[in-house]
Amino acid sequence: MGVKQAIKNFDAFPRAEEHLLQKTQSGALVSIVGLVIMATLFLHELGYYITTYTVHQMSVDLKRGETLPIHINMTFPSLPCDVLSVDAIDMSGKHEVDLDTNIWKLRMNSQGHIIGTEYISDLVEKEHTAHKHDDGKDHHENSEEKIHLQGFDQATENTIKKVKEALANGEGCRVYGVLDVQRVAGNFHLSVHGLNIYVAQMIFGGSKNVNVSHVIHDLSFGPKYPGIHNPLDGTTRILRETSGTFKYYIKIVPTEYRYISKEVLPTNQFSVTEYFSPMNEFDRLWPAVYFLYDLSPITVTIKEERRSFLHFLTRLCAVLGGTFAVTGMLDRWMYKILEALTKPSARGVYR
């Protein structure tokens, strides 16, 4: 008997108490609430298990000889497309022009509607390809040597007239496309530097009248991955009764995004600081929007990972078991409370 009793003591499922075998309305209510809670928690845990999470790792950037893609999508509401140019310069001072680079300019009227399209096959105007630029040098000084003092030819006069009409009509320009540059520090800028100093003077009447107000719809250095944040997207800078040069100092961080499917997406993320330099009457520079970038020597690797199935089972058992235990306790308390409330009334009837 002693052995049998000892074995019985290991029974983890003793017979339920008598009140638990009785079906009541309060027990039904608690059961329904418990089932709803368990179903909700089960779906939550299932979604938690299916959803991936990311792990960040850092390492030294060992990439060499690759290009850096720069995706541009900007609007200049106060500059016609005929005067707007895109220049790309690397740290050596030479222009980097890629034949595969695609840049488009869309003419826009004063209401922001597209009225024409122009494709730029070369990023830099022909008269600038032989010159070296840096951030603080005025391009117009180099242009003076090529200007014929005898006057403008018919094509130049037609361009001046056309641009003046576009300015009077409130035309703007939207620039979008991809620049493929070398993976070295450099800058690209959007400006009226494609014009020589005399043509620009004839059109605008001075650098203070060049309005480089702009809206950055999208600026990125590679394809987008889940969760990426490009800090310049949606940036709006509108100048009123003033002019100047905008400079965006960008620190690019090479990034690899590894999907759960083991696919690797090479891209870049970046941080930025902004500086605005207003024009003054002694400034010989013409307004522009500069993006000066440098690359970090550290690569960030972002991996998608999923929680293990055993982890999911552990959490599921804890959640469902805990809910079942709590609802059982709640049913027991409600049964005892109702029993205590109904017993005195029952004694009064038998008397």
Side-chain angles (χ1 to χ4, degrees), residues 24 31 93 126 133 139 179 183 199 220 256 304 321:
T24 61
S31 299
K126 292 181 179 179
H133 270 73
H139 78 288
L179 301 175
R183 289 182 65 88
V199 174
S220 57
E256 283 188 351
E304 283 187 348

Side-chain angles (χ1 to χ4, degrees), residues 37-49 308-324:
I37 293 175
M38 284 190 286
T40 303
L41 294 177
F42 170 76
L43 293 176
H44 176 270
E45 289 299 322
L46 182 62
Y48 182 74
Y49 166 68
S308 68
F309 184 69
L310 289 178
H311 184 263
F312 167 67
L313 284 181
T314 302
R315 290 177 59 96
L316 189 62
C317 291
V319 167
L320 298 183
T323 304
F324 187 80

Side-chain angles (χ1 to χ4, degrees), residues 332-344:
R332 186 181 302 113
W333 294 338
M334 292 183 64
Y335 179 83
K336 289 182 178 180
I337 293 174
L338 292 175
E339 186 181 28
L341 294 175
T342 55
K343 277 185 177 180

